Amino acid sequence: MGLVGLKVTMAGQPDAKPKGVNFNRDIRPILSDNCFACHGPDEKQRMVDLRLDTKEGAFADRGGYQVIVPGKASESRLYQRISSKDGATRMPPVGSERTLTEKQIEFIRQWIDEGADWQTHWAFNPPRRPDLPKVKDGAWPRNDIDYFVLSRLEREGLRPSHEADKTTLLRRVTLDLTGLPPTPSEIESFLADASKDAYEKRVEQLLESVHYGERMAMQWLDLGRYADSHGYHIDSLREMWHWRDWVIDAFNHNLPFDQFTIQQLAGDLIPNPTLQQRIATGFNRNHMINFEGGAIPEEYQTEYVVDRIEATSNVWLGLTMGCARCHDHKYDPIKQKDFYQFFAFFNTIPEKGLDGVKGNAAPLLQLPSPQQEQQLEELSQQIKAKQSALSEQKLDALQEEWQKTRLGTMPLPPKNGLLSNYEFDGHLADTSGNYQHAKLKKGEVTYSPGIIGKAVDLDGETHLEFGNKSVLEGSQAFSLALWFNTRLISVGSKGRAFLQQVDDSSDRRGFEVGLGDILKLPGMKRGAHLQVRLIHRWPDDSIQVQSKDPIVFEAWRHATISYDGSSKAAGLKLYVDGKPTAIEVIQDHLTGTTQTASPLEAGDKRVATPYKGLLDDVRIYDRSLTEGEAENLAIHQPIRAILAELADQPFKWSDVLKDSDPEEDQTELTKLTKEARAELELEAKRAKLTEYFLAYDAPQPIRQAYAELRDLKARKAELEESIPTTMVMEEMKKPRETFILGRGDYRNHGEKVSANVPSWLAPLPKGAPANRLGLAQWLVAPSHPLTARVAVNRYWQNYFGTGLVKTAEDFGSQGELPSHPELLDWMATEFIRTGWDIKAMQRLIVTSATYRQSSHVTKDLLEKDPENRLLARGPRFRMPAEMVRDNALAVSGLLNPDIGGPSVYPYQPKGLWEEMAFGEIFTGQSYTPGSGKDLYRRSMYTTWKRTVPPPALSTFDAPDREKCTARRARTNTPLQALVLLNDPTYVEAARALAQRVIEQAGNDPTKRINAAFSLATGRKPQPGELKVLLELAKQQQEDYRRKKELSQKLLGVGESKADPAVNVSELAAWTTVASTILNLDETITKE
Amino acid sequence: MDLKRELELALTRRQFFSRTSAGIGIAALGSLLNPELFALGTTPNSKTGGLPDLPHFAPKAKRVIFLHQSGAPSQIELFDYKPKLRKYHGTELPDSIRKGQRITGMTSGQSSLPVAAPIFKFEQGGKSGAYVSELLPHHTKIVDDICIIKTMNTEAINHDPAITFIQTGSQQPGRPSLGSWVSYGLGSDNQNLPAFVVLISQANALNPDQPLFSRLWGSGFLPSNHQGVKFRSSGDPVLYLSDPPGIDRAGRRRMLDSLEKLNHMKAEVFGDPEIDTRIAQYEMAYRMQTSVPELMDLSKEPPHIFDLYGPDSRKPGTYAANCLLARRLAERNVRFIQLYHRGWDQHGDLPRDIVLQCKGVDQASAALILDLKQRGMLDDTLVIWGGEFGRTVYCQGTLTETNYGRDHHPRCFTMWVAGGGLKRGVSVGETDDYCYNILQDPVHVHDLQATILHCLGVDHKRLTYKFQGRHFRLTDVAGEVVTKILV
């Protein structure tokens, strides 16, 4: 018996010796907690080769002596050592931070003297259906559960409490089965129903309610560590609500627990799985996912698998296998090898270690609407047709031929009017022949691979000065062309000039070309407007234009500025990547010269924010370039460079058409050798050539077909982007190998292992595959000792606040023993007998007499059984976080009862996400509250961001969902009071509740209070309570009548509008009365 | 508050204590109860709400201020003076130094790992003559009051696991934070404020990284009432602290009085002690509505204090203002005060950003020490300054004479600690000439954690919590108290 039992026993008979010691109940916990760490399953830690966790070890002949001599404590080395007065020989040793109490030593003495009966750990033996115990009060039990509870109470000399009154019971069971309070009409009809089975009938209706599935899902979301964000570092958003919908639906359709298990663990491995069965596997994709820059993929891929083991073993086995990650388990017989054999089940998912930047991480399932599905199908067919048509065109030969001859016919870059040309191929020379070389003024010059040859890499400190200037001015035609590739620059930071020749004076006379402020663009991209300025006097006497659309930063982009010298904005043309781009004119008023003595510069310069990034092939002309010339520079010249480089390289069309294999993407770029990188680069160049050939030079029908193909592919990509997805389990085609990891470290590969279940439990069922499907079948085999016990125990916890095994997550030898072991086994076998019927199990519990007891408690009982483990009374405890809020929304009438769908954004204090956020381009870094009906959805649909969980819910102990949670804390804190008093959700609910009762009950304050009180608590107030509230209402009304302005303010809280027909101060006063009622302990308590 | 009201409250309290058999004291309520203690049949320390057997021995420090520099400041620029680096500048980091250690994905693809010497000068300060960067001129004034640990080391090489490690003792999420362990073990000496308070300030550097996560001050498997309470510089200092618009103090008091009466009536009938606790928590919430704004209101601080902490201390939410707030929290005996200052992650543009960060942090950090000292509080307050790991001696990105960046370096970094029970004006540990490996006296993160608990009178091996069958502790299975720095 656990601590509580001891307490009861002790309280009953303070000095009595324990009667009839039971090994599993009394002795194993002492040995486990104090001895197993050094004399237990972990071989590496085992001292003097003594093992006390197995019968063989404990009773072994140790060469002349026995550690335990049954019947003779005084001759047993174990007893001698633990009772020794000598610090040097006493066990547990000094420094182990463990000590035995006198009582524990006495227990062990008695156990040995009574014959040292040994039992294997209770939870590892399959449950056996016990007979119903005999009870004295045969009239009390309503179903089999009650016999077990009553027999225990009778042993303890206690009586069960009387049945709770009807309203209390209705509210209790309605909250328990739907998470929502009963409506007034439901209460009324229940009270009016005098039939004997009125309660049972109501239970049936509740089990059929659509909200039943939501209530059951609430607990499962904690177990499944459901969240709407990835967690870890950047914690951007993901989309797993399809899985949440699946869970709700599974409960509502009463999917048997064995199926519920199989589909979530291995739905994808069921032959011909349905879409729903595959969605169900999201259970083991709900773990956190990381993409912190610089993190090592393998490290996190390992963590994901470990998380799956932790969740799976916690949820189905009630065991913490996690301990065996680094070494053999210290308390339970879980070997490190067991852990990695289990690991192997979950290690063969085609996932990347670092993923999730764009939302869901592979593997994922697209969930198109029927219409989208059809469109996709059509596009795929069309693409296929186009590809095969193209494939028949003997493109290989065509292109090979083209490649050989094209270089000779490729247009040269425009030479006419070229004043200077900076190729930056490892030098700053002007190669135009005009000797306008650039000079380094400050910092250092570095060169990086460029679009053609090398490029200059400006780090924001380097300062270059060019030899050319006079031409770039308002009264003269000129053109400037360049390639740029910016370094990642934070969103919102100031614009940057590529090149400028600007006066230091306040006039800022001169010329500038560069980028505007860095913007966040759709699709997780950044970009900026291309800007050009010709300035006589800043800012009014100038021409300032920019590209209408921002330019997306992706690798190299080309810009050509072509100007006719007209001193008008109309004379400026911008070409991006060789194509004319629309211009937005910001200023078009240039009256004077833009000539300046300052040279043309790049990089660091006091007058402009220095550009950071690469520049290549800067060209300056003394005339305006044509569109064709701009195209030539941007499109043809890079190809010309590639052609020159690859003239005699063979070409393979198939390289270009192939779709990338997601599993091949697994190869992390960081691991590539130099050769492999070069190979990749070469491939990219070939692809560029082909694209160019197909777009510009191939025979016309091919060009057209290719253009159409490209268009189709783009449309398909766009469509796919818009289709919702959900993360699922899948098997790799070539499974990853699994090794024992020394100390649990991903770098430390040991023995290779294959998937298997823990060796000390039953093996996989005959014929079951050694994969997740087999694992799931093993879990739900009727002989499995743990699965059913663990599941029914959690149901019990839902209703009574504490499981029969209090440590719902640990049924191992360190876990607490069941308060009612036989009841637990009876329920477990009943669960299996009914075909894992979840609803039947809920029905059984809530129709028991045990459940139906009143939750009043006497001082005596409280002292004897503070936690109500003996169940001499009904459950009474504060509702879970979600229900606290849902209850307020429901009683106020604000609740939006819609079921399922994407998560929503209710009110939240400003700045909570932002103050901890990262960067600007990721999702989930800033919080915008929703509006309208979304504000009043049930709390289980609130967006759950792991690193900043919803504050009003976490204040009431809702977990952050970083890990699987089997048992929530239940605290009682001042911060909870602040939420209920001041959170706009609750203030608005109070106003809505006030309005509701004013409209419903008319002018009579007593009626109003009665109505509000019954809505919130299910019952009418007592006269004393009524008096307090009437007095409050009266005072508040007087007060608000004097303070009109205050009334208005109070009624303005929340998005919903107050009924203008109700007097303002009246409504304000009653809002505070309603708020008081919503703050009652009873309102937030299930009793 | 009028007399009648006072009397009523007194009666309430008396009634309350007579009814709770476990006999909790009012201070225990103030510290946010340890409900699980009742469940275990243990009576918490009646003064603090902490564990009954704590402290294990006489504490030197009563409270902790942890100035976490999030993103990881470069020890090479700030504290660990390595004159020889000038000579090595631009040369490849020798394999004999790197010893094949893993490096992050951000530099593992770099073809070269050139040594970057810091471009900043170092100065000696105080009697101890400790070297401090010219970027931290105010620190030179406090070097004789602090203990500089140059040989901190950790196991993680990325921010998330590293900061989670230093704050919770584990790289992976799920464990209670340092502050929550302290709240759980030692409870609170304050009736009106939480035991564990968190303050956040944003970067001074242009690069604002890294992000923060609430798990860093979370309670893990400890009851959630031990999680840190964030005090914010804008909006409500504590979430939902202010009465809503349209409810004035008199109205609020009337509501609370009525609520209390109603809850009492309920308690009479049901006898559930949770109701009594709830009544007390509403009273504490009401007290917090006064005590927190009073705490956050810096307007009564004299000008010389603002001068001490620097001009930023007048701007709410800055590091300087938070340091000043930390002192005010310490004065009110808040047990654990955790600051986070973002912006130290200087992979690139280190020279630019470290200057900005230091400007934001230097004066106020030093001021906090001087201020605590002049109030006699440095003797029983433990102050900790530092990041989650160090930075590499080799350059990330392009190395130029004026610009460079540094990647994450777990193998050595510098933190300083001061006050309650620690030696002053000493430096611990020695790193090699490359500031890459530790030569002498390594201090692992678990060692630091053990030492912090030790100063608070707690044996880190004995402050445990049983969860999932295991007796967990902050320092996992490691950690040695750094006796060298104890007084």
Side-chain angles (χ1 to χ4, degrees), chain A residues 33 233 915 917 957 1040 1087, chain B residues 210 224 230 246 266 342 471:
Chain A
D33 208 19
H233 178 246
E915 70 189 348
D957 306 317
Y1040 277 105
E1087 63 183 29
Chain B
Q210 283 287 326
S224 22
K230 214 170 11 157
K266 187 75 197 177
R342 299 177 58 184
H471 298 274

Side-chain angles (χ1 to χ4, degrees), chain A residues 402-415 421 423 425 451-453 483 617 619 621 631-648 685 688-690 692-693 696-697:
Chain A
W402 169 83
Q403 207 166 303
K404 277 182 197 150
T405 54
R406 183 60 171 116
L407 187 59
T409 62
M410 199 80 178
L412 292 167
K415 190 87 182 155
N421 182 13
E423 296 176 356
D425 287 341
I451 185 87
I452 301 169
W483 288 97
D617 200 32
R619 289 162 176 271
Y621 292 87
E631 182 188 285
N632 179 7
L633 288 174
I635 295 168
H636 307 309
Q637 292 314 313
I639 297 300
R640 209 169 149 263
I642 299 176
L643 273 174
E645 189 187 333
L646 301 185
D648 32 336
K685 281 176 185 168
K688 260 189 182 171
L689 275 189
T690 306
Y692 179 91
F693 170 67
Y696 292 92
D697 287 356

Side-chain angles (χ1 to χ4, degrees), chain B residues 60-64 333 376-382 419-421 424:
Chain B
K60 291 275 167 47
K62 289 185 182 153
R63 60 195 86 80
V64 178
N333 270 323
M377 287 170 66
L378 191 56
D379 296 329
D380 59 5
T381 305
L382 179 62
R424 299 182 183 184

Side-chain angles (χ1 to χ4, degrees), chain A residues 169-202:
Chain A
L169 195 53
L170 179 68
R171 183 167 181 265
R172 181 189 297 171
V173 75
T174 311
L175 286 168
D176 271 344
L177 291 180
T178 66
L180 294 170
T183 64
S185 68
E186 282 165 354
I187 297 174
E188 211 173 299
S189 72
F190 183 61
L191 290 177
D193 186 350
S195 58
K196 247 183 113 183
D197 60 348
Y199 177 74
E200 284 76 7
K201 282 189 295 193
R202 189 63 210 145

